Amino acid sequence: MNKIELNDIFEARSKCYRCYRPLSSCMCSHIKPFNTKTKFIILMHPKEFKKTKNGTGHLTHLSLINSELFIDVDFTKHAVINSLIEDSNNLCYVLYPGKESVNLNTENIETYGKQLVIFLIDSTWPCSVKILRLSKNLNVLPKLSFTHTKSSQFKIKEQPKEFCLSTIESTLTVIELLQERGMEKLEQGAFEHFLDPFTSMVEYQIECAARLKGEQVRFIRRDE
C-alpha cells in the first residue's frame, strides 16, 4: 500500500471536529457565517448527532453566528434553554407545524422590542414528536410554521413527505420569510450562500454512491 492510499484511509476515518464530517468530505470551506437579529437554537437528537455523513444541524449552526446547538431528547431541565425561555426580554417559538402555529407566509409576529428566539428540532419526524412530547418546557411554547411548495434537495435521503425539508433548508425558508416581513434587516446577498455546504455535501455523497456502484459492477464475478 503506497503513501497516497494510506492518506486516503486516514482522511476517510478521521473527523473534522468543526463540521463533524469525515476529513475527506469536510464542508467547512463552503460555510459563510452571517449574523441575524433572530437567535436560533438547534435541538439535535442524539441519533442525528451520529449521522456524520448527512446531518445538516451542524452546518446550520456553523452558518448562523447568533445560534447555539444542544444535543438531547428531553430538554425539560436544560438550564440554558430554560434561562432563554424564562428571560422576559425573549420571545420564544418552536418551529413545528400545527393547526395553531403561526404561519410566517401569512402572519406577522409582533416582538414588542423583544429578542426573537426560534427553537429548531433537528431529527427525524418521529424523533421530533418525541422531543416535543418529553420536553414540557418547549411543548407549551407557541409554534411557528410555513407553507412551502418546493421539494427538498436532500437527494441522498428519502423524506417522509414530498414537501418535507432538511433542517438547513427549513431554516433558510424561515430567514427568507423574516426578511420579507421586515423582522430581519440582512444585507442583500447575506444568505445567498447559506445552502452551499449542504448542496456540496449532497453532491459529494452522490459522487461517492456513483463511484461505489461503478466499483461493484466492475468486480462482479461472472461464471465462465
Side-chain angles (χ1 to χ4, degrees), residues 70-214:
F70 303 108
I71 304 167
D72 210 333
V73 179
D74 184 356
F75 294 92
T76 302
K77 297 181 180 180
H78 196 286
V80 176
I81 291 175
N82 283 329
S83 66
L84 287 168
I85 294 174
E86 294 165 6
D87 189 337
S88 59
N89 293 313
N90 291 335
L91 182 63
C92 299
Y93 283 86
V94 178
L95 184 65
Y96 198 83
K99 294 180 180 179
E100 297 181 359
S101 64
V102 176
N103 190 309
L104 285 173
N105 295 76
T106 58
E107 300 176 68
N108 288 318
I109 299 175
E110 181 52 68
T111 62
Y112 299 102
K114 295 185 177 184
Q115 164 78 73
L116 179 61
V117 179
I118 299 179
F119 291 95
L120 308 168
I121 302 178
D122 181 43
S123 68
T124 61
W125 180 250
C127 288
S128 295
V129 173
K130 184 175 182 180
I131 286 176
L132 202 58
R133 175 172 55 82
L134 293 177
S135 305
K136 297 177 175 59
N137 52 346
L138 297 171
N139 204 4
V140 297
L141 293 177
K143 311 297 187 295
L144 281 181
S145 65
F146 56 82
T147 303
H148 196 64
T149 57
K150 296 180 182 178
S151 297
S152 173
Q153 296 303 303
F154 215 162
K155 299 174 184 177
I156 58 175
K157 179 179 178 181
E158 184 177 352
Q159 299 294 351
K161 293 184 180 180
E162 183 181 359
F163 297 127
C164 286
L165 301 177
S166 64
T167 299
I168 195 168
E169 290 172 305
S170 296
T171 305
L172 176 60
T173 301
V174 170
I175 292 172
E176 288 174 336
L177 289 169
L178 291 175
Q179 180 83 347
E180 287 178 17
R181 299 199 163 275
M183 299 184 67
E184 286 290 347
K185 302 292 185 181
L186 295 166
E187 294 181 3
Q188 185 176 3
F191 48 84
E192 180 181 352
H193 299 287
F194 186 64
L195 290 184
D196 282 4
F198 168 69
T199 54
S200 297
M201 178 192 73
V202 172
E203 289 171 2
Y204 176 84
Q205 294 294 88
I206 290 174
E207 289 174 4
C208 287
R211 186 164 60 247
L212 179 61
K213 184 178 180 181

Side-chain angles (χ1 to χ4, degrees), residues 31-50:
I31 297 171
K32 303 292 187 295
F34 62 95
N35 209 356
T36 56
K37 289 176 59 180
T38 306
K39 187 175 185 65
F40 291 92
I41 307 296
I42 300 154
L43 308 175
M44 181 181 289
H45 192 283
K47 289 183 178 179
E48 204 68 27
F49 176 75
K50 297 177 182 178

